[in-house]
Amino acid sequence: MNKNNYVLIMAGGVGSRFWPVSRIEHPKQFIDFFGVGKTLIQSTYERFLNICPPENIFIVTNENYVDLVKTQIPGLHDNQILAEPINRNTAPCVAYGSMKIAELNPEATIIVAPSDHTISNLKGFVASLEQSLVAARENDCLITLGIKPSRPDTSYGYIQYVDSALISDESICKVKLFTEKPNLELAKSFVQSGDFLWNAGIYIWSVKAINDAFSKHLPDMYDIFNLGSSLYGTSEEKNFISNAYQQCTNISIDLAILEKADNVYVLPTDFGWSDLGTWASIYDVADKDYVGNAVMPAEQVMMFDSSNCIVNVPEDKLVILQGLHDYIVIESNNTLLICPRTEEHSVKQIVADVKSNFGQRFI
């Protein structure tokens, strides 16, 4: 295990699409959706123990979730938890984490990954990351993992790549274009073309390569966090970061850096990945019965003349459902959500309406 390998896990989101199970005070990364005894962030942390020593894993999260992180991953040192005072998308958290790690080890190579993905092929996942880490150390480049698409999916971003590859690793290809979530017809054309991949949102680079990219493409943000280089790991870090985030643009790492840089590469791979961005994605990876129902937990849920539903209810709740097909049925904290799976996009509007009418009490 290479001591220069580091991991930055992004765990600051509120997961509003998983309401009512995911709430502002207890968002999705801290929830065990599948009843396996581990939350999403715990599973993510354990996966990366195959890549680097535990002291090299850092978690960046909202300051409101620091205690949740400590409770769920008790082995972390306080210095391994990077507390964001406000949400400013992924570019600031990557800049913060990369510069802090650079002060600890200027030879570091970093994996940046979300906390809420599922991986079914751990061996393939580790192999892809180890291959990318070697390439990132040997080349001045930024690498992302691209998942070979199995279907035209409109809930994922896409990466188009070209034949040009890294000299040191011909299986890692040059990125031509990043594309946001497409409509169905466009997604079909992407899959048919054979040169598009799903954007997994997992990145690998050396601290030098990413900090150079910030300096070139987002110099204002680079300057903001570089000013605190001597404060990282000290008692002054928290106050510095509080002021720094107030000055940061709200922008993703994709828009800020990856879509601008000319040294971005992608490794086409497939290791049973899902980003768990919606209840539909939970349904896709969950165990199902013979008529396609995914029930979590299943002990006290009885379903009659119902198929292709996802049901998530408290363990002590007796639930009887009849005549439902392709529905989402969710209950948590005395709040019940029922909607067709085809209308899942409306959950975001439902959350907004609840917030507008009832305030934060139910969100």
Side-chain angles (χ1 to χ4, degrees), residues 296-340:
M296 302 166 288
E299 286 77 8
Q300 296 203 81
V301 176
M302 292 181 281
M303 303 189 71
F304 303 94
D305 185 28
S306 298
S307 63
N308 303 319
C309 295
I310 178 169
V311 182
N312 187 298
V313 295
E315 291 184 13
D316 59 350
K317 187 76 67 170
L318 174 62
V319 176
I320 302 171
L321 299 173
Q322 182 173 3
L324 289 181
H325 303 279
D326 295 291
Y327 262 77
I328 299 168
V329 180
I330 311 296
E331 198 220 325
S332 180
N333 298 306
N334 295 317
T335 304
L336 177 64
L337 170 68
I338 303 176
C339 73

Side-chain angles (χ1 to χ4, degrees), residues 17-19 28 33-34 118 151 153-156 273-288 292 294 296 308-311 326-330 337 339-345 347:
R17 290 183 183 273
F18 287 97
W19 182 86
K28 67 173 180 175
F33 281 97
F34 302 102
T118 60
R151 62 187 182 276
D153 198 306
T154 60
S155 62
Y156 297 146
W273 166 88
S274 175
D275 75 341
L276 298 188
T278 63
W279 283 113
S281 60
I282 294 280
Y283 176 83
D284 288 340
V285 299
D287 293 334
K288 304 174 188 67
M296 302 166 288
N308 303 319
C309 295
I310 178 169
V311 182
D326 295 291
Y327 262 77
I328 299 168
V329 180
I330 311 296
L337 170 68
C339 73
R341 283 173 49 210
T342 55
E343 297 295 326
E344 186 181 17
H345 63 275
V347 172

Side-chain angles (χ1 to χ4, degrees), residues 48-64:
F48 284 119
L49 292 175
N50 295 279
I51 299 293
C52 68
E55 62 269 21
N56 287 9
I57 300 178
F58 291 76
I59 295 179
V60 56
T61 190
N62 188 283
E63 61 184 16
N64 294 324

Side-chain angles (χ1 to χ4, degrees), residues 7 92 94 138 159 170 200-201 207 233 241 243 256 262 270 309 314 327 356:
V7 174
V94 172
E138 295 178 349
I159 301 170
E170 294 184 356
V207 290
I241 289 300
N243 292 326
D262 58 5
D270 187 9
C309 295
Y327 262 77
S356 175

